[in-house]
Amino acid sequence: MAAGGRAAFDVAVVGGGPAGMMAAIAAAERGARVVLLERLPDLGRKLRATGGGRCNLTNTRDRNVFLAAFGAKRRFVRPAIAAFDGEALRAFLVRRGVPTESPDGVHVFPASGRARSVADALEALLAERGVRVCAGTAVTRIETADGCVRGVGAAAEGWEARAVVLAGGGPSCPDLGGTDAGFGLAAALGHRLVPPVPALAGIAVAEAWVGECAGIVLPEVEIAVAAPGGARRRGQMLFTHRGLSGPAALDLSGDVAAALRGRGAVPLAVDLTPGTSRAAWERRCEEWREMAGRKRVRTLLGAVLPRALAERLAAAAGLDRDAACAHLPRARRARLADLIAALPLTAVGTDGFEKAMATRGGVALEDVAARTLASRVVRGLFFAGEVLDIDGPCGGYNLQWAFASGRLAGVAAARSSASGGVPSP
């Protein structure tokens, strides 16, 4: 017990999600006295609900392919993943009695099919390692002196600590505890913030006809922001009553949300058959005209695309419902090929933080050392998980980042506390 009755620890971890729990475990395994503070009454609430409760933990992709999914931020992500990749995570979970499986050879899930088994294993390990857990405790300040961390405070309470790991998450899924409180704690200490926007959320579009196709799933499309250098994502797409969902749309939503900031709309282009070029489609339409003249255009198009979508495309190309291929003039062929290769849509919003599975934005990476996740602003402060300006696509990337960054930050924080609170940058 420190002077004044405050409990003293080597490391204080703020946030009880996967990144925070892993950070606390990693620090305790290296001999640090650790306290974990979580504002909700229970730990890992979002983790328990992820993937509809099934929990896509990571994936089996090659490390370079995995890192490439983070785009320009892959170099920052690399040290954490190099130290604790998907294979290491799976081995860690097996040792804790949580075997994993990959039904499709790519995506990895707990063999139990329950995210709860992962969260329960982490909680049990926290107890085994002697981590003091203070749930229902909202940290309101990180205390510093002379540019170094000294502890954390919550209302009238306080805990002394030589190192602090800030793993407070982001504002996505507020009904599961998402909040921007971690951003506020970082900003109060002088860290720059990249304005947060929802990521991995559905995209709302202006075109009302899209709602008529709600429920249609296309196994592979390519969606792009229709602007020079605009982001593009490839994968499955689902039409919804408001717009677009499915992995391709979810992966693009962070780019769309960022582009929408200060703007009312963002143009999109959807390649409905990315394996077939626009020119190839125009040739196919010409073949239909020459060889299947009596058949209706929408019938042949409906053999390639879902019927409701085929009918919508034919109408948009200016064709009557019963138009025969024999009466498919050059201009209509060209228009139909254009629509299939680059269907124009107008993004006017996303499903917001309420339904977003991740946050884009947060603590600026320039203020953090990638090798240790140590703050470049305050000595003894470390970051992990969603509080940093890191977000990946669907498919286990974000959870793997949470676990890996938590472990790296926890190890570095334990070393920092052992050396008197001076981390290696």
Side-chain angles (χ1 to χ4, degrees), residues 93-112:
L93 290 172
V94 166
R95 292 195 297 271
R96 301 308 307 169
V98 185
T100 60
E101 62 181 8
S102 179
D104 62 1
V106 177
H107 302 93
V108 176
F109 303 87
S112 65

Side-chain angles (χ1 to χ4, degrees), residues 5-402:
R6 286 162 51 108
F9 295 87
D10 298 313
V11 177
V13 178
V14 181
M21 287 192 282
M22 187 61 87
I25 290 166
E29 287 180 340
R30 282 148 185 82
R33 297 166 299 158
V34 183
V35 60
L36 172 62
L37 305 124
E38 165 57 46
R39 71 182 190 89
L40 295 177
D42 50 358
L43 304 183
R45 184 175 295 185
K46 188 174 179 182
L47 174 61
R48 295 173 192 275
T50 189
R54 191 174 173 217
C55 194
N56 182 188
L57 293 160
T58 185
N59 61 61
T60 63
R61 291 187 169 94
D62 173 81
R63 183 181 295 175
N64 287 333
V65 174
F66 185 95
L67 292 170
F70 290 89
K73 298 172 185 177
R74 61 187 178 276
R75 290 188 178 179
F76 187 93
V77 172
R78 183 182 295 276
I81 300 301
F84 195 71
D85 60 11
E87 289 186 10
L89 174 60
R90 298 180 75 175
F92 168 84
L93 290 172
V94 166
R95 292 195 297 271
R96 301 308 307 169
V98 185
T100 60
E101 62 181 8
S102 179
D104 62 1
V106 177
H107 302 93
V108 176
F109 303 87
S112 65
R114 300 187 310 127
R116 178 176 296 276
S117 62
V118 180
D120 288 347
L122 294 175
E123 283 204 67
L125 191 51
L126 288 169
E128 287 181 23
R129 297 295 183 261
V131 174
R132 179 175 173 182
V133 176
C134 297
T137 304
V139 171
T140 57
R141 62 191 182 278
I142 296 175
E143 300 166 352
T144 64
D146 300 322
C148 296
V149 160
R150 291 291 182 261
V152 298
E157 296 182 90
W159 296 262
E160 292 189 4
R162 290 182 173 182
V164 172
V165 178
L166 182 52
S172 62
C173 291
D175 58 331
L176 295 175
T179 174
D180 61 0
F183 297 165
L185 292 172
L189 296 177
H191 293 87
R192 292 167 291 178
L193 298 179
V194 176
V197 295
L200 301 187
I203 299 173
V205 301
E207 289 75 12
W209 67 262
V210 168
E212 300 172 13
C213 295
I216 289 178
V217 176
L218 297 177
E220 186 167 20
V221 304
E222 186 171 85
I223 314 176
V225 173
R232 58 183 62 240
R233 299 290 184 270
R234 191 163 173 166
Q236 187 186 79
M237 187 184 80
L238 166 70
F239 285 98
T240 70
H241 291 289
R242 297 184 65 234
L244 311 174
S245 189
L250 296 178
D251 290 348
L252 190 70
S253 63
D255 299 283
V256 170
L260 281 168
R261 187 180 293 276
R263 299 172 58 185
V266 170
L268 304 178
V270 184
D271 185 345
L272 299 172
T273 59
T276 305
S277 69
R278 181 204 173 281
W281 266 110
E282 195 162 7
R283 288 194 299 271
R284 182 179 295 187
C285 290
E286 173 62 16
E287 291 171 359
W288 289 350
R289 188 182 70 83
E290 294 178 350
M291 304 177 64
R294 294 185 178 182
K295 292 186 177 181
R296 290 180 295 185
V297 174
R298 66 184 181 91
T299 299
L300 293 179
L301 192 57
V304 182
L305 296 169
R307 185 171 297 276
L309 179 58
E311 292 181 357
R312 169 53 59 180
L313 294 175
L319 297 169
D320 294 336
R321 178 179 175 81
D322 295 320
C325 292
H327 304 294
L328 188 58
R330 181 185 298 275
R332 296 286 183 263
R333 296 197 300 271
R335 176 58 177 159
L336 191 57
D338 287 340
L339 291 169
I340 297 171
L343 178 66
L345 294 172
T346 310
V348 293
T350 71
D351 287 344
F353 283 117
E354 291 74 16
K355 295 185 179 181
M357 292 182 279
T359 301
R360 173 166 297 187
V363 175
L365 302 185
E366 292 78 8
D367 289 350
V368 182
R371 191 164 62 86
T372 58
L373 299 183
S375 167
R376 298 187 187 276
V377 178
V378 177
R379 293 196 299 276
L381 178 62
F382 301 81
F383 298 94
E386 194 177 0
V387 73
L388 287 163
D389 179 27
I390 293 287
D391 65 288
C394 297
Y397 294 93
N398 292 292
L399 265 181
Q400 176 66 54
W401 164 248

